[in-house]
């Protein structure tokens, strides 16, 4: 197994690696909607927070020589599920081609770090 911390990546809010890699699979830790330049500072609204989360995920993937095209599974956590689900879906969908949507789980949760509205983690796979 390889444990990765990406230079210039998002600042961890807890003791974890940005990603762990084993047998060609890369497990990317859930990312928050802050930026590496302003840890803990979140934009307003689900659309902006979703964009920030996706940017952080792309930073981690890029640090490993991967991109969103390598993603096979996403898990999304929302604190305001009913209110934000539709808008989050529209924003999230913009990052993937219609014929290349990863498997996905989306759940409502009671709280996230920094009182974020969203967190997303990923599973990616290196091509053979």
């Amino acid at each position: 197994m390889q444990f990765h911390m990406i230079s210039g990546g998002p600042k961890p809010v807890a003791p974890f690696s940005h990603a762990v890699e084993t047998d060609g699979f890369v497990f990317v830790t859930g990312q928050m909607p802050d930026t590496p330049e302003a840890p803990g500072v979140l934009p307003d609204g689900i659309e902006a927070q979703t964009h920030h989360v996706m940017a952080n995920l792309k930073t981690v993937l890029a640090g490993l020589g991967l991109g969103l095209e390598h993603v096979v599974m996403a898990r999304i956590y929302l604190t305001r599920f009913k209110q934000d689900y539709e808008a989050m879906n529209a924003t999230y969908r913009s990052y993937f081609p219609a014929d290349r949507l990863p498997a996905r789980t989306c759940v409502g949760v009671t709280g996230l770090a920094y009182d974020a509205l969203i967190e997303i983690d990923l599973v990616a796979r290196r091509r053979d």
Side-chain angles (χ1 to χ4, degrees):
M1 282 190 288
Q2 294 176 297
F3 298 84
H4 302 286
M5 289 304 291
I6 306 305
S7 177
K11 183 178 175 10
V13 299
F16 56 72
S17 299
H18 283 131
V20 177
E21 187 167 353
T22 185
D23 297 326
F25 285 97
V26 180
F27 300 86
V28 180
T29 296
Q31 295 299 310
M32 304 309 298
D34 57 352
T35 64
E37 302 78 31
V41 178
L42 309 182
D44 292 330
I46 192 62
E47 292 93 347
Q49 287 198 17
T50 303
H51 283 302
H52 277 226
V53 167
M54 295 303 293
N56 286 337
L57 290 165
K58 287 172 63 174
T59 295
V60 172
L61 288 168
L64 299 170
L66 299 170
L68 291 175
E69 68 274 13
H70 296 96
V71 174
V72 297
M73 172 73 181
R75 285 180 293 242
I76 302 171
Y77 309 90
L78 297 173
T79 58
R80 303 184 316 194
F81 192 90
K82 286 182 181 180
Q83 180 178 342
D84 291 337
Y85 185 73
E86 187 176 322
M88 177 281 300
N89 272 326
T91 305
Y92 170 88
R93 180 180 295 272
S94 72
Y95 286 89
F96 298 97
D99 64 344
R100 178 61 182 82
L101 296 170
R104 196 182 94 171
T105 299
C106 185
V107 297
V109 297
T110 60
L112 294 167
Y114 299 141
D115 291 325
L117 302 176
I118 186 170
E119 180 174 347
I120 302 175
D121 66 52
L122 302 175
V123 178
R125 174 109 168 115
R126 290 196 184 274
R127 293 200 167 103
D128 296 332

